[in-house]
Amino acid sequence: MKLSQFKFNLPDSLLANDPAEERDEARLMVLHKDTGKIEHKIFKDVLNYFDDKDVMILNNTKVFPARLYGNKEKTGATIEVFLLRELNKELRLWDVLVDPARKIRVGNKLYFGDDDLLVAEVVDNTTSRGRTIRFLFDGTDEEFRRNVEILGETPLPKYIKRKATEKDKERYQTIFAKHEGAVAAPTAGLHFSRELMKRLELKGIEFAEVTLHVGLGTFRQVEVEDLTKHKMDSEQFIIEQKDADIVNKAIDEKRRICAVGTTSMRAIESAVSANKTLKAANDWTSKFIFPPYDFSIANSMITNFHTSESTLLMMVSAFGGYENVMNAYEVAVKEKYRFYSYGDAMLII
């Protein structure tokens, strides 16, 4: 398939700047993939589509405050540093994006915080905006992370044209987040409230957790018309044996298995055994899923509404059927559903 087949017009007004008042009260579009039928619901209605012993697969990655603002030595120019991933804990080496990139060269020092709480040195160029930096910090790892917590901002997507607030610290994080390492939230999971989780549990729905640390690769623009030529950035994922066992039991019993979010889906599709069951894994994946694609584990999925020509929309189209999903998106625009990270949700069954 071609990139241009995933283009649609999305008015800026439909990009959600703020989350719904309550997590589970965002809107929910239900798409039946066999018939293309669409229903309009509220997210908490998701409860009605699952039964005893069905399984939901959640991504328990935790977002860390990845956006820092520092000053360049000598000139004092303000520089945004977006922490992508830690390369070496002992040496405190990090892969980052810098903005404005043209001002940042190897050897430059950057100072963060009024009293230079953290200082970093640029040690390498990686891409046009990418750099490797080394934090010059003598304290413990715990102290270092506390300083990042103090200085860092919740890494809201760039289209949200406002400063991150205290509220975002809580709302741009799932209630089941455990393992720190994501620079963006697994957004389908943001709709789950504690009350809804409890109600799902009481109905007998089981939860399996996976960890996929969402990196910017998930959101990297596709710049080639021929999708087979697009390369995804690698993201680390972990699936424990106990969680694989929960999923495999549900496969055996032909239950409904729901991947909550594209990141959960990518993790499980990166760990399929020869006999189409889920394996425990601790690995990196650069899997790029677009139509046509044969899914092995999940038979339903919850996802948000994604932007035009994104790899996320491509995966959803592979799962729900290209025609179904593109039609559903047309309906979503007409019905003014809210798109992207803080937007509304879609259940594909």
Side-chain angles (χ1 to χ4, degrees):
M1 292 198 83
K2 305 281 182 235
L3 173 65
S4 50
Q5 289 174 267
F6 294 92
K7 194 173 181 63
F8 66 93
N9 287 324
L10 179 64
D12 283 350
S13 61
L14 296 186
L15 284 169
N17 261 306
D18 295 281
E21 203 56 46
E22 300 294 336
R23 285 181 186 268
D24 57 15
E25 286 183 0
R27 291 165 77 191
L28 175 72
M29 179 187 283
V30 182
L31 171 63
H32 296 261
K33 57 181 178 171
D34 296 348
T35 60
K37 180 186 155 196
I38 287 170
E39 299 176 87
H40 302 288
K41 302 286 183 180
I42 299 295
F43 191 79
K44 58 172 70 163
D45 297 332
V46 81
L47 185 73
N48 303 328
Y49 295 88
F50 293 89
D51 288 313
D52 188 29
K53 304 277 195 304
D54 287 346
V55 172
M56 288 186 167
I57 302 172
L58 310 171
N59 182 5
N60 63 17
T61 187
K62 191 173 186 180
V63 181
F64 67 95
R67 186 172 280 129
L68 302 176
Y69 291 95
N71 300 97
K72 193 178 160 189
E73 64 176 336
K74 297 188 180 125
T75 67
T78 300
I79 305 294
E80 180 188 310
V81 174
F82 194 99
L83 302 175
L84 285 179
R85 101 179 157 212
E86 189 172 40
L87 299 173
N88 186 306
K89 198 180 280 240
E90 281 67 46
L91 298 176
R92 303 205 199 285
L93 283 177
W94 282 76
D95 222 348
V96 303
L97 294 176
V98 292
D99 197 21
R102 65 183 188 284
K103 294 186 174 177
I104 301 299
R105 299 192 172 88
V106 172
N108 286 159
K109 280 206 174 74
L110 303 171
Y111 296 86
F112 302 93
D114 295 338
D115 47 1
D116 302 338
L117 203 54
L118 288 175
V119 180
E121 183 181 12
V122 181
V123 295
D124 199 8
N125 295 323
T126 51
T127 61
S128 57
R129 286 181 57 216
R131 302 288 184 272
T132 302
I133 65 172
R134 181 172 69 238
F135 284 97
L136 311 172
F137 186 80
D138 291 333
T140 64
D141 192 53
E142 209 170 70
E143 289 165 335
F144 171 71
R145 282 172 197 281
R146 196 175 311 127
N147 287 357
V148 170
E149 192 72 39
I150 291 165
L151 296 169
E153 253 185 30
T154 302
L156 294 180
K158 279 288 195 189
Y159 77 86
I160 294 180
K161 305 280 190 250
R162 61 174 177 79
K163 292 287 268 180
T165 64
E166 273 303 305
K167 185 183 175 187
D168 292 307
K169 258 188 185 172
E170 182 226 340
R171 291 300 302 271
Y172 196 66
Q173 193 82 270
T174 64
I175 61 166
F176 41 80
K178 283 182 192 154
H179 304 297
E180 196 170 85
V183 300
T187 54
L190 296 179
H191 302 294
F192 286 83
S193 64
R194 285 189 168 76
E195 187 197 12
L196 178 59
M197 293 283 280
K198 195 76 207 137
R199 289 172 67 202
L200 287 162
E201 269 174 42
L202 289 171
K203 198 172 177 183
I205 286 119
E206 297 187 57
F207 298 102
E209 295 188 5
V210 298
T211 307
L212 183 137
H213 292 313
V214 190
L216 283 189
T218 294
F219 307 99
R220 192 181 291 286
Q221 275 187 308
V222 181
E223 289 167 348
V224 285
E225 180 66 3
D226 177 356
L227 297 185
T228 61
K229 298 204 161 39
H230 177 68
K231 296 279 179 284
M232 293 282 281
D233 294 47
S234 291
E235 292 170 316
Q236 187 184 18
F237 75 102
I238 299 155
I239 299 171
E240 292 185 16
Q241 189 61 55
K242 65 177 172 53
D243 296 292
D245 291 343
I246 292 169
V247 172
N248 292 334
K249 185 169 185 283
I251 292 174
D252 283 348
E253 295 175 1
K254 300 194 167 29
R255 303 284 179 196
R256 183 162 275 171
I257 298 166
C258 181
V260 177
T262 56
T263 58
S264 296
M265 186 69 90
R266 194 156 68 256
I268 60 179
E269 285 296 318
S270 301
V272 180
S273 71
N275 60 352
K276 301 277 183 164
T277 57
L278 187 60
K279 303 185 294 197
N282 186 339
D283 208 346
W284 291 77
T285 180
S286 53
K287 195 170 195 64
F288 175 29
I289 297 173
F290 58 94
Y293 181 86
D294 191 14
F295 290 83
S296 298
I297 307 293
N299 47 31
S300 61
M301 101 180 272
I302 293 170
T303 184
N304 275 27
F305 287 93
H306 307 293
T307 49
S308 178
E309 298 186 318
S310 62
T311 59
L312 308 170
L313 172 58
M314 291 164 197
M315 181 198 284
V316 173
S317 299
F319 189 77
Y322 173 77
E323 307 288 344
N324 282 345
V325 169
M326 295 312 281
N327 173 55
Y329 269 57
E330 220 172 280
V331 172
V333 171
K334 204 164 77 204
E335 296 289 331
K336 296 192 164 34
Y337 273 75
R338 300 160 81 242
F339 278 65
Y340 216 39
S341 300
Y342 271 154
D344 295 317
M346 179 191 259
L347 166 65
I348 305 175
I349 50 174

